[in-house]
Amino acid sequence: MSRYTKKDILELVEEEDVEFIRLQFTDLFGGMKNLAITANHLRKALDNRVTFDGSSIKGFVDVEESDLYLYPDYNTLAMFPWRPQQGRVARLICDVYRPDGSCYEGDPRYILKKIVSEAEGMGYTFQVGPECEFFLYHLDDDGLPTNITHEQAGYFDMSPLDFGENARRDIVLSLEEMGFEVEASHHENAPAQHEIDFRYDDALTTADNIMTFKLAVKTIAKRHGLHATFMPKPRNGEDGSGMHINMSLEKNGKNAFYDPNDSLRLSREAYWFLGGLLKHVKGMTLILNPIVNSYKRLVPGYEAPAYIAWSAKNRTPLVRIPATKGEEVRIELRSPDPACNPYLALAVCLAAGLDGICNKIDPPKRQDMNMHQLSMEELKDMGIECLPRNLMDAVHEFEKDPLMREVLGEEVCRKYVEAKLQEWEDYNAQISEWELDNYLLRY
């Protein structure tokens, strides 16, 4: 049920002196797009009569079928606190439709809504809490981003070691003005690395919030003369940024993952959901870790997972069961990074978990040792597999998993794979500094 009606929005825009409304949507690869209209044209937008050229959006329709429509979701109305308070700017997140009134099947928000609807048909609400990490770096003299920082702060450090504390505080205050319930914020392990955690919510709201979060972080950082990046691994030899996803299913108002009689307080549904995640994680990795740089993070020796295993005690495996009390029990998937499209990422996670429940897929034996201290021979003997090692490996695993095509659709899969193959080819054609350092003199 919508929190706002059309009348509510029109009245609120007038009362709050809103001059511009940004109609936002997300492309196939997680990029936020928007069309700005003035308040005089808001009624037209609320009547779903605003069109745009879909062929100009990467991964959307071809030029022969370019017209698409934006249908605002009334629940997503929010003011931008960083814009002027006179002649304010608001936003509405939109769904994308075809001219005949049907949902555009390549809209990432639609893809998530579709699998959420399937879960609701089974009686479940998918609850998600993300842990979004990012870096704050200096700009150069031309205002362009660098990966340079002069701080040496580490985990939970504070000012004066933490140079980004003021920027992080302003980001939190801006998010709260937009309706976020921020639970915690802190400096992370690597220099200039930060994390802000906001309260869990249903999957669609959480995906919307992740997109809004990224926009707010980048906007406020720039006001502090900094560049915020969600690039997974911007500096060699340091931890990269992840976006751990904490998941649970709610049924009849209660956490369906909770069983007080189990040693880990996990229900049978939770174990099956976990089994589905582990079964499909190789195929999902292309969505969860979507760029060449993602795989520089997924290597042994850092905070990120490299092996397909789960644990209730340590943070090195792919999946962790956090220590919680009562019905707060959840499953934490640690491989996703913030470069992913959150709508697609949550869609494949939910689909994999539901497949586990429907087919009663039990997870393998849990592994509580430090995975990074095991040799490849030991891992092989234990039957523990690795995540895809690079983008091309992830493409191959994605194409082998029929569930990915079921969730995303044939056309989206084709366009996504084509784009990622081209990205891999472009990357392989480049000469890196590592090659120059190691080969130029020797050969």
Side-chain angles (χ1 to χ4, degrees), residues 143-322:
L144 298 175
T146 72
N147 67 343
I148 297 171
T149 181
H150 298 309
E151 68 148 63
Q152 294 298 318
Y155 194 64
F156 273 31
D157 276 344
M158 55 187 292
S159 179
L161 291 175
D162 177 4
F163 292 179
E165 190 173 68
N166 289 340
R168 195 173 67 240
R169 178 200 62 206
D170 287 350
I171 292 167
V172 169
L173 293 175
S174 294
L175 290 170
E176 288 185 332
E177 281 191 62
M178 297 186 74
F180 281 66
E181 184 178 334
V182 177
E183 294 187 329
S185 67
H186 60 88
H187 197 285
E188 260 293 341
N189 280 331
Q193 188 182 31
H194 303 265
E195 178 176 318
I196 297 175
D197 300 330
F198 48 90
R199 190 179 189 275
Y200 74 90
D201 215 317
D202 67 90
L204 184 63
T205 300
T206 295
D208 288 341
N209 284 344
I210 292 170
M211 295 302 299
T212 301
F213 173 83
K214 289 183 178 182
L215 175 64
V217 169
K218 286 182 170 289
T219 301
I220 302 304
K222 193 168 185 180
R223 292 199 162 197
H224 282 260
L226 299 167
H227 173 67
T229 180
F230 292 93
M231 180 179 177
K233 185 85 167 184
R235 287 170 63 120
N236 186 40
E238 295 176 358
D239 288 344
S241 287
M243 191 183 77
H244 303 165
I245 300 177
N246 292 272
M247 297 173 273
S248 63
L249 291 177
E250 187 178 281
K251 192 170 189 177
N252 299 322
K254 295 185 177 181
N255 187 349
F257 282 2
Y258 176 60
D259 180 355
N261 299 315
D262 180 71
S263 60
L264 298 180
R265 300 192 300 280
L266 293 176
S267 67
R268 289 309 311 160
E269 288 162 302
Y271 283 110
W272 291 332
F273 192 100
L274 173 58
L277 280 178
L278 296 177
K279 174 186 175 183
H280 293 287
V281 72
K282 283 188 176 182
M284 294 158 50
T285 297
L286 185 65
I287 302 297
L288 305 179
N289 308 99
I291 62 176
V292 165
N293 181 255
S294 296
Y295 299 86
K296 306 300 177 69
R297 168 179 166 261
L298 300 177
V299 294
Y302 297 92
E303 285 285 310
Y307 309 112
I308 301 173
W310 71 282
S311 173
K313 292 186 177 181
N314 79 81
R315 297 170 184 266
T316 57
L318 173 70
V319 175
R320 184 174 76 99
I321 309 301

